Amino acid sequence: MAETINMPKLGFDMAEGTLVRWVKKVGETVNKGEVLAEIETDKATVEVESSASGVVRKLLVDEGAVVPVNTPIAVVGSADENIEEITSQAGQTSKVERQPAASDLKPAPIETSTVHGQPSMLRASPLAKKMARERSLDLSRVQGTGPGGRIVRRDVEAAISGQPSAVSGKIPSTVHRPSSVSDETIPQTKLRQAIARRMAEAKASIPHFYVTHEYKMDSLLEVRRQLNNALPEDEKISVNDFILKAAALTLRQFPNLNASLDGNSVLRHGGVNIGVAVAVEGGLLTVVCKQADVKPVRQIASEVKAMVERARQGKVRQEDIEGSTFSISNMGMYDVENFAAIINPPEAAILAVGSARQVPVVVGADSIPFGDDVRPELGIGWRMKATISVDHRLSDGVEAARFMQALAVYLEEPVRLLV
């Protein structure tokens, strides 16, 4: 029997999405779980998978259309069945408006460039591609300054403003004094607008409080070193993977922190789904490791690495970014000692992780009896600070402090994370 495929709702605050491209055309066969289309939300470009198997009988919206969530976008069924009734019903709710912006312009050849007469794929962020389409800019003439030579927003902006370094990629041979520049107004991306809206609402409506704890990381770093020595390069485990697993196990003991406020009730989530904040072009995106408490660290590392890569390429899947019950924001790679994060609603808490640092420590202080005439010795140890931000409507300071203490058991005795 024919089925309609709807515009998915990705996140509790998503209201609509732009259908960027149909991957499957009318008459083509599609299997359940196969990518049917690409949509752009205010967070990312997401691949929409078909919820049914069969033949694509009808596409209900055009490319470039802004579509409200849960609106029918396609009909999938058998090749010879009558779909008139289901198409008519779907058409009643599929009246959407087409964006008159980038898709109405003659697109420049931004997807490929020519190398020795042969087409070659360009590496560019989704935002850079969109900006180039809107301005009919040929990206093959733009030098990328992002990771691996990827073209990012600043490269497109530089090319549009006529800065020669953005096109040639050459570094000036002489150093010049910086000259004064005039003010400029840059429109915010959809992602940055969404972040601004959600964080303002979260900070204004959620009574945050914060608890910071310092962790001994010597044992965990040594265990990680030994594991990574035995693993292939593409399977290395990060410190954040261990922290994610440790937080998931700790949350089992503190269900109020793995919860959401539901009116006057508290919804304690059965699954521990950890959201991981990822820096992408134009802002942050959270990918979600589902059931992290029951997965081994190595599996967590593999899944998170794949989701992060898709997020940075602008090709996240629906399941990558939905369903988080607790979040972690790790800025350790940026040499940040300590910071506090804003809660990602409707979650109850978020853990902000700083850098693991070598610092002076008192050696053997825990074993020195009080009052004994013993001179403690100074040494060097690895320490890491983390701060949990908690919704005071769902928990309190004592519970948060106990959570941070319990987290220390896993981080400071990392063998517990491997059994």
Side-chain angles (χ1 to χ4, degrees):
M1 181 177 177
E3 294 186 28
T4 57
I5 311 299
N6 296 337
M7 170 65 73
K9 183 178 177 65
L10 308 175
F12 81 101
D13 63 340
M14 176 179 167
E16 61 186 20
T18 302
L19 201 146
V20 178
R21 181 173 74 95
W22 284 110
V23 177
K24 294 290 184 177
K25 308 299 182 184
V26 173
E28 293 184 352
T29 300
V30 62
N31 295 316
K32 184 176 181 179
E34 195 173 359
V35 177
L36 180 65
E38 292 179 357
I39 64 171
E40 183 183 70
T41 72
D42 54 9
K43 295 181 179 179
T45 301
V46 184
E47 295 177 337
V48 178
E49 298 177 355
S50 176
S51 57
S53 295
V55 175
V56 179
R57 295 296 307 278
K58 190 173 182 62
L59 304 178
L60 300 173
V61 298
D62 296 330
E63 292 181 350
V66 178
V67 186
V69 298
N70 298 323
T71 299
I73 59 175
V75 178
V76 174
S78 59
D80 55 355
E81 69 178 302
N82 189 333
I83 63 168
E84 183 177 345
E85 182 177 352
I86 192 171
T87 300
S88 176
Q89 293 174 351
Q92 297 296 321
T93 54
S94 292
K95 296 177 181 179
V96 296
E97 295 184 0
R98 187 175 183 276
Q99 281 188 319
S103 56
D104 291 332
L105 299 175
K106 183 178 179 181
I110 64 172
E111 295 293 341
T112 59
S113 61
T114 302
V115 179
H116 301 302
Q118 299 296 325
S120 173
M121 294 302 295
L122 278 171
R123 289 173 52 84
S125 71
L127 178 58
K129 292 178 181 179
K130 180 181 178 181
M131 293 174 64
R133 282 196 300 268
E134 292 174 346
R135 295 162 177 80
S136 298
L137 175 68
D138 184 356
L139 283 185
S140 65
R141 299 183 61 251
V142 179
Q143 178 68 36
T145 62
R150 193 174 189 220
I151 300 171
V152 294
R153 179 179 64 180
R154 62 175 176 269
D155 302 322
V156 177
E157 291 173 345
I160 293 170
S161 64
Q163 297 178 16
S165 58
V167 177
S168 66
K170 296 180 180 179
I171 300 175
S173 57
T174 59
V175 178
H176 299 281
R177 279 184 168 277
S179 58
S180 60
V181 296
S182 59
D183 295 344
E184 61 177 334
T185 300
I186 301 174
Q188 284 191 321
T189 64
K190 285 186 176 181
L191 175 58
R192 181 54 65 187
Q193 291 174 25
I195 293 172
R197 182 179 66 252
R198 293 191 66 191
M199 293 301 97
E201 292 174 355
K203 194 66 174 175
S205 63
I206 298 176
H208 288 60
F209 72 88
Y210 313 93
V211 176
T212 300
H213 191 98
E214 187 173 67
Y215 297 95
K216 302 174 183 177
M217 298 294 288
D218 305 84
S219 297
L220 189 148
L221 293 175
E222 177 59 22
V223 167
R224 173 178 177 260
R225 184 190 66 80
Q226 293 181 26
L227 285 174
N228 282 345
N229 282 343
L231 292 174
E233 187 63 33
D234 60 349
E235 296 182 23
K236 302 293 186 184
I237 300 172
S238 71
V239 172
N240 199 59
D241 298 325
F242 283 101
I243 296 172
L244 195 156
K245 175 67 173 181
L249 291 176
T250 308
L251 284 169
R252 285 177 173 177
Q253 307 169 43
F254 298 89
N256 283 340
L257 299 179
N258 191 55
S260 302
L261 198 62
D262 185 13
N264 292 323
S265 302
V266 176
L267 174 61
R268 290 179 171 178
H269 301 289
V272 181
N273 304 331
I274 306 293
V276 181
V278 180
V280 296
E281 179 69 17
L284 291 174
L285 189 65
T286 299
V287 298
V288 185
C289 182
K290 307 285 201 314
Q291 306 291 341
D293 56 324
V294 298
K295 292 177 179 176
V297 176
R298 191 172 178 183
Q299 182 180 352
I300 288 173
S302 175
E303 289 184 4
V304 171
K305 187 178 298 182
M307 288 189 291
V308 168
E309 182 64 22
R310 288 195 292 270
R312 289 178 174 160
Q313 291 178 351
K315 297 293 183 181
V316 293
R317 299 171 182 168
Q318 180 176 347
E319 63 269 20
D320 289 351
I321 58 176
E322 64 179 7
S324 62
T325 60
F326 182 93
S327 292
I328 294 176
S329 180
N330 192 331
M331 295 182 68
M333 67 289 296
Y334 300 110
D335 195 26
V336 172
E337 180 180 5
N338 188 41
F339 73 105
I342 300 175
I343 296 170
N344 185 28
E347 297 167 18
I350 183 171
L351 186 69
V353 180
S355 305
R357 298 169 168 231
Q358 282 188 303
V359 297
V361 297
V362 179
V363 178
D366 296 340
S367 62
I368 299 175
F370 180 77
D372 284 11
D373 188 18
V374 178
R375 183 182 297 275
E377 297 181 357
L378 284 177
I380 297 176
W382 286 95
R383 297 292 184 269
M384 181 191 77
K385 291 181 180 179
T387 299
I388 188 169
S389 307
V390 181
D391 186 341
H392 218 323
R393 299 171 299 178
L394 289 160
S395 184
D396 52 46
V398 171
E399 186 170 40
R402 289 176 53 229
F403 172 88
M404 299 297 271
Q405 288 179 324
L407 182 63
V409 174
Y410 291 107
L411 294 180
E412 296 178 5
E413 300 175 29
V415 69
R416 295 173 180 268
L417 303 174
L418 305 176
V419 296

